Amino acid sequence: MAYFDSASSAPLHPVARQALLASLDEGWADPARLYREGRRARMLLDAAREAAAEAVGCRADELVFTSSGTRAVHAAIAGVTAGRRRVGRHLIVSAVEHSSVLHAAEVHEAEGGTVTQVVVDRSGAVSASSYAEALRPDTALACLQSANHEVGTEQPVARVAEVCREAGVPLLVDAAQSLGWGRVDGSWSVLTGSAHKWGGPSGVGLLVVRKGVRFAAQGPADERESGRAAGFENIPAIVAAAASLRAVRAEAAAEAVRLRELTERLRARVPSLVPDVEVVGHPERRLPGVVTFSCLYVDGETLLHELDREGFSVSSGSSCTSSTLTPSHVLRAMGVLSEGNVRVSLPVGTVEEDVERFLSVLPGAVASVREKMGAPVSTDVTEEKDDALVVDALGRRCPVPVIELAKVIGDVPVGGTVRVLSDDEAARLDIPAWCEMRGQEYVGEEPAESGSAYVVRRAS
């Protein structure tokens, strides 16, 4: 069985398992007590906090451990908006934030606050200028994830943080998906993370509040974790979380290179193997192991079951795979195809053979689902693996050059190009017009030995 859903929860890292087992015998006592067992537990907790703070890039007294990443997000938004109530009650979020952020925003709005959702482009990315436009004199807090949990797109956190800093507004960064790969750049003010996303145990979250940020913890007072996370600390799990974060960081640089090669292979070959597929997310600024694509004429839940039977665990943002029967808010905000959506998120240590086997299984799985649904049979994809084709239409009048282009556009993968050679002046108008009508990218005209070469890049 190949587990390809690490963006939901990464497999427990061997170092986390070792640290968890080792600390069960030492970290069970109350770290607030002064006797030997309590002091021993306090030493484990303090060491874990130092290690986690070093990985995040903050002071140890700025970081507390929570019972989950979601709890950290909720505490962060409630605490900062309450602490800055005199400034105002305006909250900024992006349209593709994790549901924990959006749910907290809904509560904030229900309690009398105001919320602005910043739009994203088709790759799922925000712009710093959009955040600048959303800022108001009464803005209490802005929120932005470091990388998207569904499509892997990395956000321009450093630029947005600078915009917010200049306006005197703290920026909360949900770093759950990216923290295992490295520190979050920029002058952010608040940060959250979740251990099970990087191979630590579930039930451990991080909340970092920089010195100088006004923060008023909500709920009944509690003396633990600086009053920001109520309840008895799960020290063995915290120790395992910190140990695994340090371990995955040590492997991150080399593993990122390896996983990026595998995901590049998936991004290039899935559209060439399966017709009517849209690969979504930013083609370059994305997490190393995440690839997301949507298949036309496919029921997402049925496709996931087909892949599960073939030995692959993947995720989906299709409406048919959710309890609400609505498409993923991320895909909807991006304006991309949501039906038949598949997210492949490769865990650390994924082997090339499993990726190749997935590529061999996927076409049959999609075809099986489409056949069951009575979908039309597409003949757009051929066995051609080249990412560039040349159509020689010299001496032939339009619309023949356009017809020949339409015949072969499916023979290149998404991102591949077709160069149409034509000496008919009408091609200069007809080919760009066809691209606009068919949703393909017209790259431009290039000189050729005879006539001109019109370059078209397959966009979908």
mmCIF file of all heavy atoms in Angstrom, residues 78-89 111 138 140 214 218:
data_model
loop_
_atom_site.group_PDB
_atom_site.id
_atom_site.type_symbol
_atom_site.label_atom_id
_atom_site.label_comp_id
_atom_site.label_asym_id
_atom_site.label_seq_id
_atom_site.Cartn_x
_atom_site.Cartn_y
_atom_site.Cartn_z
ATOM 1 N N ALA A 78 -8.394 34.487 18.395
ATOM 2 C CA ALA A 78 -9.176 35.047 19.506
ATOM 3 C C ALA A 78 -8.312 35.930 20.394
ATOM 4 O O ALA A 78 -8.736 37.010 20.829
ATOM 5 C CB ALA A 78 -9.794 33.909 20.321
ATOM 6 N N GLY A 79 -7.078 35.496 20.682
ATOM 7 C CA GLY A 79 -6.207 36.239 21.575
ATOM 8 C C GLY A 79 -5.745 37.567 21.014
ATOM 9 O O GLY A 79 -5.730 38.581 21.720
ATOM 10 N N VAL A 80 -5.357 37.585 19.724
ATOM 11 C CA VAL A 80 -4.864 38.825 19.129
ATOM 12 C C VAL A 80 -6.009 39.806 18.890
ATOM 13 O O VAL A 80 -5.878 41.008 19.164
ATOM 14 C CB VAL A 80 -4.103 38.547 17.822
ATOM 15 C CG1 VAL A 80 -3.672 39.862 17.171
ATOM 16 C CG2 VAL A 80 -2.882 37.687 18.090
ATOM 17 N N THR A 81 -7.141 39.336 18.386
ATOM 18 C CA THR A 81 -8.255 40.258 18.142
ATOM 19 C C THR A 81 -8.786 40.842 19.453
ATOM 20 O O THR A 81 -9.189 42.009 19.507
ATOM 21 C CB THR A 81 -9.394 39.562 17.380
ATOM 22 O OG1 THR A 81 -9.780 38.362 18.065
ATOM 23 C CG2 THR A 81 -8.967 39.209 15.961
ATOM 24 N N ALA A 82 -8.748 40.044 20.533
ATOM 25 C CA ALA A 82 -9.165 40.571 21.836
ATOM 26 C C ALA A 82 -8.134 41.561 22.369
ATOM 27 O O ALA A 82 -8.492 42.620 22.922
ATOM 28 C CB ALA A 82 -9.361 39.429 22.828
ATOM 29 N N GLY A 83 -6.860 41.248 22.198
ATOM 30 C CA GLY A 83 -5.819 42.139 22.689
ATOM 31 C C GLY A 83 -5.765 43.460 21.948
ATOM 32 O O GLY A 83 -5.291 44.461 22.499
ATOM 33 N N ARG A 84 -6.239 43.487 20.707
ATOM 34 C CA ARG A 84 -6.220 44.719 19.900
ATOM 35 C C ARG A 84 -7.617 45.281 19.681
ATOM 36 O O ARG A 84 -7.868 45.998 18.710
ATOM 37 C CB ARG A 84 -5.538 44.433 18.556
ATOM 38 C CG ARG A 84 -4.037 44.228 18.692
ATOM 39 C CD ARG A 84 -3.383 43.803 17.395
ATOM 40 N NE ARG A 84 -3.738 44.622 16.245
ATOM 41 C CZ ARG A 84 -3.176 45.785 15.941
ATOM 42 N NH1 ARG A 84 -2.211 46.282 16.722
ATOM 43 N NH2 ARG A 84 -3.539 46.462 14.865
ATOM 44 N N ARG A 85 -8.508 44.991 20.605
ATOM 45 C CA ARG A 85 -9.896 45.442 20.463
ATOM 46 C C ARG A 85 -9.997 46.966 20.348
ATOM 47 O O ARG A 85 -10.871 47.494 19.650
ATOM 48 C CB ARG A 85 -10.718 44.945 21.652
ATOM 49 C CG ARG A 85 -12.223 45.215 21.537
ATOM 50 C CD ARG A 85 -12.964 44.715 22.763
ATOM 51 N NE ARG A 85 -12.910 43.269 22.851
ATOM 52 C CZ ARG A 85 -13.839 42.463 22.352
ATOM 53 N NH1 ARG A 85 -14.892 42.979 21.727
ATOM 54 N NH2 ARG A 85 -13.738 41.165 22.485
ATOM 55 N N ARG A 86 -9.112 47.683 21.038
ATOM 56 C CA ARG A 86 -9.181 49.150 20.971
ATOM 57 C C ARG A 86 -8.847 49.678 19.584
ATOM 58 O O ARG A 86 -9.300 50.749 19.198
ATOM 59 C CB ARG A 86 -8.218 49.754 21.992
ATOM 60 C CG ARG A 86 -8.658 49.558 23.449
ATOM 61 C CD ARG A 86 -7.713 50.269 24.393
ATOM 62 N NE ARG A 86 -8.119 50.105 25.781
ATOM 63 C CZ ARG A 86 -7.473 50.612 26.810
ATOM 64 N NH1 ARG A 86 -6.364 51.329 26.611
ATOM 65 N NH2 ARG A 86 -7.909 50.408 28.051
ATOM 66 N N VAL A 87 -8.029 48.921 18.835
ATOM 67 C CA VAL A 87 -7.705 49.331 17.463
ATOM 68 C C VAL A 87 -8.913 49.163 16.559
ATOM 69 O O VAL A 87 -9.228 50.013 15.722
ATOM 70 C CB VAL A 87 -6.526 48.488 16.926
ATOM 71 C CG1 VAL A 87 -6.293 48.777 15.443
ATOM 72 C CG2 VAL A 87 -5.279 48.748 17.736
ATOM 73 N N GLY A 88 -9.607 48.040 16.712
ATOM 74 C CA GLY A 88 -10.771 47.751 15.880
ATOM 75 C C GLY A 88 -11.039 46.260 15.855
ATOM 76 O O GLY A 88 -10.331 45.470 16.483
ATOM 77 N N ARG A 89 -12.037 45.884 15.086
ATOM 78 C CA ARG A 89 -12.438 44.478 15.049
ATOM 79 C C ARG A 89 -12.479 43.947 13.627
ATOM 80 O O ARG A 89 -13.295 43.101 13.285
ATOM 81 C CB ARG A 89 -13.795 44.297 15.734
ATOM 82 C CG ARG A 89 -13.816 44.778 17.178
ATOM 83 C CD ARG A 89 -14.858 44.053 17.979
ATOM 84 N NE ARG A 89 -14.571 42.616 18.028
ATOM 85 C CZ ARG A 89 -15.482 41.707 18.356
ATOM 86 N NH1 ARG A 89 -16.729 42.074 18.625
ATOM 87 N NH2 ARG A 89 -15.157 40.427 18.403
ATOM 88 N N GLU A 111 -19.725 37.536 16.271
ATOM 89 C CA GLU A 111 -19.633 38.278 17.528
ATOM 90 C C GLU A 111 -19.497 39.780 17.317
ATOM 91 O O GLU A 111 -19.179 40.514 18.249
ATOM 92 C CB GLU A 111 -18.459 37.746 18.348
ATOM 93 C CG GLU A 111 -18.658 36.309 18.828
ATOM 94 C CD GLU A 111 -17.458 35.757 19.560
ATOM 95 O OE1 GLU A 111 -16.367 36.381 19.456
ATOM 96 O OE2 GLU A 111 -17.586 34.715 20.225
ATOM 97 N N ASP A 138 -8.946 50.131 11.239
ATOM 98 C CA ASP A 138 -9.471 49.311 12.341
ATOM 99 C C ASP A 138 -9.094 47.835 12.208
ATOM 100 O O ASP A 138 -9.671 46.985 12.883
ATOM 101 C CB ASP A 138 -10.993 49.445 12.432
ATOM 102 C CG ASP A 138 -11.708 48.913 11.187
ATOM 103 O OD1 ASP A 138 -11.074 48.842 10.116
ATOM 104 O OD2 ASP A 138 -12.908 48.563 11.287
ATOM 105 N N ALA A 140 -7.424 44.619 13.062
ATOM 106 C CA ALA A 140 -6.778 44.072 14.256
ATOM 107 C C ALA A 140 -5.751 42.999 13.911
ATOM 108 O O ALA A 140 -4.723 42.870 14.591
ATOM 109 C CB ALA A 140 -7.831 43.488 15.197
ATOM 110 N N ARG A 214 0.162 42.483 21.132
ATOM 111 C CA ARG A 214 -0.865 42.491 22.178
ATOM 112 C C ARG A 214 -1.713 41.221 22.058
ATOM 113 O O ARG A 214 -2.251 40.917 20.997
ATOM 114 C CB ARG A 214 -1.748 43.730 22.078
ATOM 115 C CG ARG A 214 -0.997 45.031 22.346
ATOM 116 C CD ARG A 214 -1.947 46.227 22.403
ATOM 117 N NE ARG A 214 -2.863 46.102 23.538
ATOM 118 C CZ ARG A 214 -2.587 46.498 24.773
ATOM 119 N NH1 ARG A 214 -1.401 47.036 25.037
ATOM 120 N NH2 ARG A 214 -3.476 46.371 25.740
ATOM 121 N N GLN A 218 -8.193 34.012 25.738
ATOM 122 C CA GLN A 218 -9.632 33.932 25.986
ATOM 123 C C GLN A 218 -9.980 32.646 26.731
ATOM 124 O O GLN A 218 -9.254 31.656 26.664
ATOM 125 C CB GLN A 218 -10.396 34.000 24.663
ATOM 126 C CG GLN A 218 -10.150 35.283 23.893
ATOM 127 C CD GLN A 218 -10.547 36.515 24.672
ATOM 128 O OE1 GLN A 218 -11.730 36.802 24.833
ATOM 129 N NE2 GLN A 218 -9.568 37.246 25.192
#
